Amino acid sequence: GDAFASGGSAGYDHKGMGITARGAWESVKRHFLELGKDCQAEPFTVVGIGDMSGDVFGNGMLLSPQIRLLAAFDHRHIFIDPDPDPAVSFAERQRLFALARSSWDDYDRARLSAGGAIIARTTKSITLSPEARQALAIEAETLTPQELMRGILLAPVELFWNGGIGTYVKAASERHADAADRANDAVRVDGRELRCKIVGEGGNLGLTQRGRIEFAQGGGRINTDFIDNSAGVDCSDHEVNIKILLGAVVAAGDMTGKQRDQLLARMTEEVAELVLRNNILQVQAISLAEAHPQEWLDSQAAMMRRLETAGRLNRELELLPDEEALANRRQHGLGLYRPELAVLLAYAKMTLYDQLLASDLPDDPYLVQDLVKYFPRPLRKRFLSQIEGHRLRREITATLVANSIVNRGLGEFVGELAEQTGWSTATIARGYIVARDAFGLVPLIGQLEQLASRIGAPRQVMLLGEARLALAQGTQWFLRNLPAPIDAGAAVGRFATGIQRLIDALDQMLAAAERAQVEQAIARYVEAGIAPEMARRFASLPYLCPASEAAAAASSAGVDVLDAGKIYFALDASLQLGELRQLLRRAGARNRWDRLAIEGLHEDLVEEHRRLTLQALADAGLRAGLAAPIEAVTAAVADWLRSRVAGLGRWRRLLAEIESQQSPDLAMLAVAVRTLGGLNASDAAAA
């Protein structure tokens, strides 16, 4: 119909919404946050490419009242304001943005600070004021327009905002011809020369990819253009999919074209919110990966190799490091840079999308809830049947699931797990969906996203990492413990309530020492600015998989989930299984095989713990005392172990010996887990 990339005759006007600039500004805010600054509340310096009549530049330079725009240029003029007043300059930029076909020449020169100027690019020679030279750190007094523009690009400011057309930054190793933009050869600079702290890419192709990587190698904060300005494309996708939906409604006579247009207009800001959330999640995912450079490098390298083998990736073409470069980075404690991580994120999403679309996953009735949330709220109830029958339902669902997995930092995890286990991508995605929803992590992570400015980027990324770990472990747990094929809806219904009950009652389950550790974690989070209830949820993340174990044991034994939880955690304390888990976590994995061996030992430990839990639950005497406080239950379980379980003494001696070692090796840990498997209750079912 009338939907197309830039907004149809009745649709979403990208410039009016400012959607592309708003999406890129989410990247800018993230960069500033990770530098310890709130760019919406604290003044910061900017240079840029573009003018206020442009969509991306104009909208971008109105997204914070704290902007101090020192200089900018477009194809007509060069703008200089050495010491701008944020409020005065913001108001003048607003005026220009509202003025049809404005240029920098329309800027009220009375509002410029001392030494400011508006200069036509046709000027042959420019004498720069002392104030401008100081602000831009330019030594020469007289320059050509091209020299001044180069000076602006190299200014020591906080933000370089690209909202124009052209390629202005390359790498030192590249020729100007590599940038494929002859018009700007005289202006272009190298990434390593940039003195800004952040680059925001509202426009396309402002830097070559090598230029981005070179800037990032020097400590600059940058993503890529396709990450920063993705909101425009995303908004067009939403418009098309909404118009397909409403087109069927209009065709059926249930709505007039005029009513449709009015509804589209009313939903504008919510569509923007849905789009911007993707921008927020993508840059968070890149930050999460950036925070684990060495820890994740092997998985990222393995992903690149898998994509190459499948013919999906050309590392040389995408400027991703080859094996020699990866080895060098390992040696120097380095990982991938943000522009490289952005490329991998894109490939992870595209690959997952293709694999999921080719499976039956998008047809799962349980995922209708995800599909519905793609659309603005006014459509969800009123047009539910049309949403369910949307002709791009499968494509939208596959996109949503792929985004959900990759935006949580699990792009490499899926392929690695498939390679290790033989599970299909769709099967792993189902396990992920069950873990995500049974653990209730979407609302929790959503709340965390709103706290970034209050608690700081490092703590937020750390908590995002904890949530990612819980999701990864939960995905594997459900894949190993649910019958195939997984019925996601039934599994979430079976586990979610029990897990939540156990998490809510953790203080009734844990031994005193472990309970104290949880309370200390809660106190740290509260002190950092997290509300007490949310702090409790984050402190409980490591207990989500144990809660799943206890819930499964309760189901098998036919007992209440809290009773099973008490036995499960009492056994954990009595057998000191937490100490063994810590040893497994600390075991140095020298290579992929060590990592697989450690994961296998952890799985065996979980299975033995569950086996002993079921044996203990079969003891009527133990069950009779489960109403008592956890200390009494733990004492009863310890007595049961001493009186009913053979091999307990050997287990305790072996664990003590291992703990006395500075660096227990995998062989010792394997013996410990095997010894745990030898513990067996005699006559465990007796009254």
Side-chain angles (χ1 to χ4, degrees), residues 105-116:
D105 197 41
D106 295 304
Y107 199 96
D108 184 352
R109 285 157 174 80
R111 294 178 178 269
L112 292 172
S113 58

Side-chain angles (χ1 to χ4, degrees), residues 292-443:
H292 299 83
Q294 285 284 285
E295 185 183 346
W296 291 13
L297 188 60
D298 282 350
S299 295
Q300 292 158 349
M303 176 182 169
M304 287 187 264
R305 286 191 287 270
R306 284 194 301 274
L307 290 170
E308 283 180 314
T309 301
R312 295 188 65 101
L313 171 68
N314 182 323
R315 258 195 267 192
E316 184 178 0
L317 185 66
E318 295 291 359
L319 304 179
L320 291 169
D322 59 20
E323 295 302 319
E324 183 180 350
L326 288 171
N328 184 264
R329 293 195 195 181
R330 283 190 200 94
Q331 184 179 351
H332 291 89
L334 300 173
L336 299 184
Y337 298 105
R338 289 185 76 94
E340 296 167 334
L341 292 168
V343 171
L344 269 196
L345 180 141
Y347 270 93
K349 287 189 174 185
M350 291 187 292
T351 303
L352 274 175
Y353 169 81
D354 289 344
Q355 292 170 342
L356 294 176
L357 188 63
S359 75
D360 63 353
L361 181 84
D363 303 310
D364 191 329
Y366 181 72
L367 292 176
V368 168
Q369 61 176 352
D370 289 56
L371 176 66
V372 167
K373 290 176 185 175
Y374 173 86
F375 293 94
R377 287 178 184 82
L379 304 180
R380 294 178 187 176
K381 287 186 179 179
R382 186 177 173 189
F383 303 114
L384 179 59
S385 62
Q386 288 89 346
I387 290 174
E388 292 175 340
H390 197 290
R391 70 171 182 259
L392 294 179
R393 172 183 55 81
R394 299 187 83 257
E395 287 79 1
I396 297 171
T397 302
T399 300
L400 292 173
V401 175
N403 284 352
S404 180
I405 291 170
V406 177
N407 287 342
R408 303 300 177 208
L410 294 169
E412 297 88 356
F413 164 81
V414 173
E416 195 166 39
L417 190 58
E419 190 174 58
Q420 291 170 7
T421 63
W423 287 322
S424 70
T425 298
T427 297
I428 294 170
R430 282 193 168 90
Y432 163 82
I433 290 161
V434 175
R436 181 195 71 181
D437 295 351
F439 290 174
L441 287 180
V442 170

Side-chain angles (χ1 to χ4, degrees), residues 124-147:
K124 295 192 181 301
S125 179
I126 301 164
T127 300
L128 207 56
S129 69
E131 295 88 351
R133 288 166 52 211
Q134 181 177 0
L136 301 176
I138 293 174
E139 293 184 6
E141 293 183 21
T142 305
L143 307 91
T144 65
Q146 288 81 6
E147 289 169 339

Side-chain angles (χ1 to χ4, degrees), residues 64-147:
S64 171
Q66 302 297 336
I67 290 170
R68 298 184 64 242
L69 181 63
L70 305 189
F73 61 84
D74 67 353
H75 61 288
R76 297 168 293 184
H77 299 94
I78 302 172
F79 167 85
I80 307 284
D81 193 5
D83 187 20
D85 179 289
V88 171
S89 57
F90 185 85
E92 183 62 5
R93 289 197 302 275
Q94 280 185 315
R95 185 185 71 81
L96 288 193
F97 186 72
L99 180 65
R101 294 184 294 279
S102 69
S103 74
W104 284 121
D105 197 41
D106 295 304
Y107 199 96
D108 184 352
R109 285 157 174 80
R111 294 178 178 269
L112 292 172
S113 58
I118 312 293
I119 305 159
R121 282 186 57 172
T122 54
T123 304
K124 295 192 181 301
S125 179
I126 301 164
T127 300
L128 207 56
S129 69
E131 295 88 351
R133 288 166 52 211
Q134 181 177 0
L136 301 176
I138 293 174
E139 293 184 6
E141 293 183 21
T142 305
L143 307 91
T144 65
Q146 288 81 6
E147 289 169 339

Side-chain angles (χ1 to χ4, degrees), residues 639-657:
D639 185 61
W640 176 80
L641 285 167
R642 283 191 298 270
S643 61
R644 295 292 186 90
V645 175
L648 184 65
R650 181 169 181 264
W651 161 255
R652 294 203 188 285
R653 289 191 299 273
L654 180 61
L655 191 59
E657 183 181 349

